[in-house]
Amino acid sequence: MTTHNRHSKYRHGTQALSEGRFSHAGQRLGARLLWLGLVLAMLLAMPLARPVWSQTPADDASEPAKQLMPEPQHLLASRLATRFVSGYHYHRSKLDQDISTRVFDQYLSLLDPNRMYFTAADIEDLERYRPHLEKSLKSADLDPAYDIFNRYTKRVDERIAFARDRLKAGFDFSQDEKFYFDRSEAPWAEDESVLEDYWTRRVKNDYLRLKLTDKDDEEIVEMLDERYAGMARRISEFNSEDAFQFFMNAYTRSIEPHSSYLSPRSVENFEISMRLSLDGIGALLQRETEYTSIVEIIPGGPADLDGRLKEGDRIVGVAQGDEEMVDVVGWRLDDVVQLIRGERETVVRLDVLPAESGMSGPPTTIELVRNEVKLEEQAASAEVIELPDQTIGVIKVPVFYVDFAGRAANIPDYRSSTRDVRNLINELVEQGIDGLVMDLRGNGGGALVEATTMTGLFIDEGPVVQVRDSRGRVNLEEDREPGMAWDGPLAVLVDRRSASASEIFAGAIQDYGRGVIIGEPTFGKGTVQNLIDLDNISRSDVGLGQIKLTMAQFYRIAGGSTQSKGVWPDIRLPTPGDPADVGESALDYALPWAEIEPADYESMADLQGLIAEAQQRHAIRLESDEELVALVDDIANWEADAEKKWVSLQESTRRQEMAEAEARRAERFGQNDEALADESSENEASDEEEQKPEDDIYLMESARILADLMALDAEQKKMAHRDIPMVGVEQN
């Protein structure tokens, strides 16, 4: 169970525990590898044929300065990877014309996602490869992939050279012009003039953004020229391994988004990130077009504890301590990662374009101290919300964790999220809580066994999740411990980042009618991946890399999968954006939602009547509660800005937009940006108490909704199950 994205990603924090830990699939995979060994000798002996069509030179008058070519190990890695993907992936796919078309489109999307390098003429010429890439993969003929890649590097060189020349000409910022920065859905440029216009406006926007920070013209020109020169240098550093990884990921992602190929360099980076998983800034990064953006803030890491870095923020500069800021726009993701990495207790400064300001505002500088992701911050924690008539307990679970080594060795006090939650329930019961909210926001998953055992704290014995492998065999994960740790009213708070194990837990609670799900639709990742080392398979040490392969799929006990749709809340809270634009269903070629036979289980209650009435009370508060009204207004403003695919290139307009945004923040929070920054520094320096529950609008409203449900259920007691014994908890 891993987090999503169509582009390469690295964590500067803890890695989800479930990567490669699905034991049933792993055991079956091991057995199948015995069969593969029997055919491997024949595979290695097969001739590396090159079809005549692939040797036709591209219709391009001039060639790039450096022509990359496939290396021998790439031919072997291609053969092994394609046979594993086609033979063992959960969604069996033949190498046919449909896959060939997908690979072609994915390859272009990976290379030029914003369509700002290739022209329509380039694409028309390269189209001759579209119907033949499946043959290229079958025969390990990689010439088409490298021809496309070489064309790409040539075009990047040309566009960057144009940008550097245009920069020297200067700009008039009094003109009422717009820069349409998002070309991802636009047609390929008809000719060079379309891209020259785009790059002219792009350079002008880069210039204006720095001008808004009151830098002088000479400094701006110097900074931007170095940025574009750096982009050209990094393109020139691409090697044969890079081209191969791009192409193989185009293939794996044409099957489904969570399977991928990792080159030896990427494997090394991944292993480093795992070894240093308790160091860094605690963020999951990805590359989108020319920017490195924040995908996820890891609970307990420096970025999380600091609180200023947010999901969707774009990192445009990195500096070590007091050293000069290095512009990283256009950098390769792994190079940005390497720059952000550093020794523990050292300072890294980030220039960040805040997500809320889109592409129009200037960057802000955030200083972080690299440190470990503290285990106590990752662990489950509890708090209490006092309402007028009810006391609501809250347990925050950032990840489903377990000490696998301690568990295997039967160490009596081994650490696990289930054990910690059980102890926290005990503490909350002693404090006299009336209801409990399980907060799974931002919980991207973890250990499958923990999702099962934690569900068991709230139900009696019974099934929790069904796991179906690629051969259609279904394994049932069950809670086998009698009784419950909490038998009272229960709510589960989720958001779009709640994925995998979180969805298993929330789905089971919903299917049993054990509690109410509150928040927004979850991510929808209902698949399991295994890492396969191609060097181990081939018994070689030439550096073939690894593939991450989807091997199984989760299904709820009611029969429907968590895949693609996720878990839909019983009561939705107001959040920005369309759920269809975020999550698994928004990824290319995501596996569809599916359904199998339901497991044998008994629902504990039908809460739909209560939920309908509680929904009405929530709707009234959305129109009357001051904080909720302000939240809805903020969401509307954010959505209006997010819909814009352009920014003004007129300086007076941009400065007015900045002033209006600052005024809105001041009205919302009663302070300006400078005051907020000063307060943040003071809080960090004095180590003041953490954010209070009432400051978390979503958590507070979830507690109110649960209180509403309890009041509505005062007579029927559908949300309480006192007839089932409580296990492992001291009762008052």
Side-chain angles (χ1 to χ4, degrees):
M1 296 177 283
T2 56
T3 50
H4 68 295
N5 204 275
R6 60 184 293 184
H7 302 292
S8 300
K9 305 177 286 192
Y10 289 107
R11 280 187 187 269
H12 286 282
T14 56
Q15 179 72 13
L17 296 175
S18 56
E19 187 78 69
R21 293 195 185 274
F22 179 56
S23 58
H24 300 286
Q27 291 167 2
R28 286 192 288 273
L29 175 63
R32 296 180 201 174
L33 295 186
L34 296 176
W35 172 83
L36 181 68
L38 298 176
V39 300
L40 186 57
M42 292 187 292
L43 176 64
L44 299 178
M46 292 173 63
L48 300 177
R50 290 187 173 184
V52 174
W53 59 264
S54 70
Q55 299 176 26
T56 306
D59 299 331
D60 198 281
S62 58
E63 296 293 336
K66 181 175 70 172
Q67 287 285 291
L68 298 178
M69 299 289 290
E71 298 177 4
Q73 68 270 22
H74 300 145
L75 307 180
L76 177 56
S78 174
R79 288 184 179 275
L80 288 174
T82 53
R83 280 160 176 76
F84 259 97
V85 172
S86 60
Y88 300 113
H89 193 281
Y90 178 78
H91 181 63
R92 303 289 179 88
S93 296
K94 294 181 179 180
L95 280 172
D96 55 18
Q97 288 287 302
D98 181 52
I99 291 296
S100 185
T101 292
R102 288 187 181 189
V103 173
F104 183 80
D105 290 336
Q106 285 290 299
Y107 197 27
L108 293 179
S109 179
L110 286 172
L111 294 177
D112 191 5
N114 208 35
R115 301 192 171 193
M116 59 189 188
Y117 298 116
F118 288 129
T119 63
D122 286 322
I123 302 305
E124 183 179 359
D125 179 52
L126 296 175
E127 279 283 344
R128 59 200 168 90
Y129 292 135
R130 180 186 291 276
H132 301 297
L133 292 182
E134 49 95 10
K135 297 177 183 177
S136 180
L137 287 163
K138 286 178 180 178
S139 62
D141 171 42
L142 301 175
D143 286 351
Y146 282 79
D147 184 28
I148 296 172
F149 195 86
N150 287 327
R151 179 83 64 98
Y152 161 72
T153 58
K154 181 176 186 295
R155 294 296 180 248
V156 174
D157 283 340
E158 292 170 352
R159 308 307 172 219
I160 293 175
F162 174 85
R164 296 182 72 182
D165 286 341
R166 185 62 187 82
L167 175 64
K168 301 171 186 176
F171 298 99
D172 179 3
F173 295 104
S174 65
Q175 297 178 349
D176 185 12
E177 293 182 315
K178 295 178 181 179
F179 170 47
Y180 288 85
F181 53 84
D182 186 354
R183 280 189 47 84
S184 59
E185 301 296 329
W188 294 102
E190 292 183 7
D191 51 39
E192 296 283 340
S193 65
V194 175
L195 289 183
E196 287 179 356
D197 179 69
Y198 168 85
W199 278 91
T200 296
R201 294 171 188 260
R202 171 186 167 148
V203 176
K204 187 174 183 178
N205 183 61
D206 290 345
Y207 197 116
L208 179 56
R209 186 182 291 124
L210 293 175
K211 190 176 179 66
L212 294 174
T213 64
D214 298 325
K215 290 182 170 58
D216 60 51
D217 291 340
E218 183 178 351
E219 184 180 7
I220 292 173
V221 171
E222 181 180 352
M223 288 182 64
L224 291 181
D225 189 61
E226 175 54 33
R227 171 187 296 181
Y228 303 145
M231 292 170 63
R233 284 195 302 271
R234 281 179 289 281
I235 288 295
S236 70
E237 292 169 358
F238 275 132
N239 57 32
S240 180
E241 182 179 289
D242 296 316
F244 180 69
Q245 178 169 257
F246 270 106
F247 182 61
M248 292 308 296
N249 273 309
Y251 165 55
T252 58
R253 291 172 190 182
S254 71
I255 308 298
E256 63 87 39
H258 296 290
S259 294
S260 61
Y261 169 78
L262 287 75
S263 70
R265 180 185 182 187
S266 295
V267 171
E268 181 181 1
N269 275 325
F270 177 75
E271 291 174 348
I272 289 173
S273 71
M274 290 297 287
R275 288 197 298 270
L276 300 181
S277 62
L278 298 182
D279 296 314
I281 65 171
L284 177 62
L285 311 178
Q286 74 177 26
R287 186 171 184 257
E288 288 184 333
T289 62
E290 301 301 303
Y291 294 91
T292 298
S293 62
I294 306 297
V295 178
E296 180 181 344
I297 302 297
I298 309 302
D304 177 46
L305 299 179
D306 177 82
R308 287 175 291 170
L309 201 62
K310 305 295 184 183
E311 293 176 25
D313 289 353
R314 297 176 176 90
I315 299 174
V316 297
V318 181
Q320 313 301 323
D322 296 329
E323 296 180 11
E324 184 178 352
M325 187 69 66
V326 177
D327 189 293
V328 296
V329 176
W331 280 39
R332 291 168 45 151
L333 179 64
D334 49 1
D335 289 336
V336 178
V337 169
Q338 189 171 1
L339 198 60
I340 294 176
R341 278 189 190 132
E343 295 183 6
R344 191 174 300 184
E345 302 296 340
T346 59
V347 172
V348 61
R349 290 166 34 240
L350 307 175
D351 264 357
V352 175
L353 293 176
E356 63 183 20
S357 65
M359 298 287 290
S360 61
T364 59
T365 301
I366 296 177
E367 182 176 296
L368 298 171
V369 178
R370 300 180 179 101
N371 210 330
E372 62 179 345
V373 176
K374 299 182 183 300
L375 293 178
E376 61 268 24
E377 298 293 343
Q378 277 267 309
S381 59
E383 56 188 322
V384 172
I385 297 178
E386 294 288 352
L387 298 176
D389 299 316
Q390 305 284 359
T391 298
I392 305 298
V394 177
I395 296 180
K396 171 70 175 177
V397 183
V399 67
F400 288 85
Y401 54 88
V402 63
D403 177 1
F404 280 102
R407 184 172 181 266
N410 290 319
I411 297 176
D413 58 348
Y414 76 86
R415 193 75 180 270
S416 82
S417 54
T418 299
R419 289 185 165 202
D420 289 347
V421 168
R422 187 191 296 273
N423 291 334
L424 292 172
I425 289 174
N426 193 24
E427 295 174 8
L428 292 172
V429 168
E430 291 177 352
Q431 295 179 56
I433 63 168
D434 301 298
L436 176 64
V437 175
M438 293 292 292
D439 186 354
L440 301 186
R441 289 174 298 172
N443 185 324
L448 172 61
V449 64
E450 287 299 300
T452 303
T453 56
M454 193 177 296
T455 302
L457 299 179
F458 304 98
I459 66 170
D460 202 358
E461 294 177 280
V464 173
V465 65
Q466 303 182 86
V467 188
R468 184 182 186 274
D469 68 15
S470 59
R471 294 188 178 183
R473 295 175 296 192
V474 177
N475 180 69
L476 191 63
E477 299 291 335
E478 300 182 79
D479 165 45
R480 302 182 184 279
E481 182 178 0
M484 296 187 293
W486 171 250
D487 61 4
L490 175 68
V492 181
L493 178 57
V494 294
D495 63 12
R496 292 175 199 174
R497 297 173 298 148
S498 304
S500 208
S502 293
E503 295 172 298
I504 291 172
F505 177 87
I509 295 299
Q510 191 175 58
D511 288 342
Y512 274 106
R514 176 60 185 90
V516 60
I517 312 301
I518 302 172
E520 59 184 333
T522 61
F523 185 78
K525 184 182 182 299
T527 55
V528 185
Q529 287 72 41
N530 281 82
L531 279 173
I532 300 170
D533 191 325
L534 297 180
D535 283 318
N536 287 343
I537 299 303
S538 66
R539 298 182 181 179
S540 69
D541 57 359
V542 296
L544 301 180
Q546 297 181 359
I547 54 173
K548 184 173 68 172
L549 203 61
T550 295
M551 303 291 293
Q553 184 167 334
F554 294 125
Y555 289 83
R556 293 167 59 159
I557 55 175
S561 71
T562 57
Q563 172 64 17
S564 190
K565 289 184 179 180
V567 177
W568 279 74
D570 298 304
I571 297 179
R572 285 194 61 180
L573 298 180
T575 53
D578 184 345
D581 296 334
V582 180
E584 185 80 8
S585 61
L587 302 179
D588 290 341
Y589 310 121
L591 295 182
W593 181 87
E595 191 172 16
I596 61 175
E597 289 295 319
D600 184 14
Y601 76 102
E602 292 185 13
S603 176
M604 300 176 71
D606 181 0
L607 303 179
Q608 292 309 306
L610 297 174
I611 290 170
E613 295 186 58
Q615 174 69 61
Q616 293 176 6
R617 296 189 180 190
H618 166 63
I620 292 173
R621 281 195 295 273
L622 287 177
E623 297 179 354
S624 60
D625 182 87
E626 182 178 342
E627 285 194 321
L628 288 175
V629 169
L631 174 64
V632 172
D633 289 342
D634 287 345
I635 290 172
N637 290 330
W638 184 93
E639 290 181 332
D641 291 339
E643 288 296 318
K644 287 178 59 177
K645 302 299 181 183
W646 57 269
V647 291
S648 173
L649 294 177
Q650 189 175 49
E651 182 177 358
S652 59
T653 299
R654 290 280 280 272
R655 290 194 181 277
Q656 181 181 348
E657 291 173 349
M658 288 172 56
E660 291 173 352
E662 184 175 338
R664 285 197 301 268
R665 284 192 291 270
E667 182 180 358
R668 176 76 173 87
F669 299 105
Q671 303 174 18
N672 58 28
D673 285 344
E674 184 176 349
L676 287 172
D678 291 342
E679 181 181 303
S680 176
S681 300
E682 291 172 4
N683 288 345
E684 183 179 356
S686 61
D687 194 26
E688 293 181 358
E689 63 181 281
E690 296 182 4
Q691 183 186 46
K692 297 179 181 179
E694 54 265 32
D695 296 331
D696 185 336
I697 300 175
Y698 291 111
L699 181 58
M700 192 67 183
E701 180 60 14
S702 298
R704 291 178 183 142
I705 290 172
L706 181 57
D708 287 340
L709 287 162
M710 293 160 60
L712 293 166
D713 192 38
E715 295 184 3
Q716 299 184 63
K717 303 293 184 184
K718 289 184 176 182
M719 301 193 71
H721 302 274
R722 309 302 184 188
D723 55 323
I724 301 175
M726 294 177 68
V727 178
V729 177
E730 296 178 7
Q731 302 184 56
N732 294 333

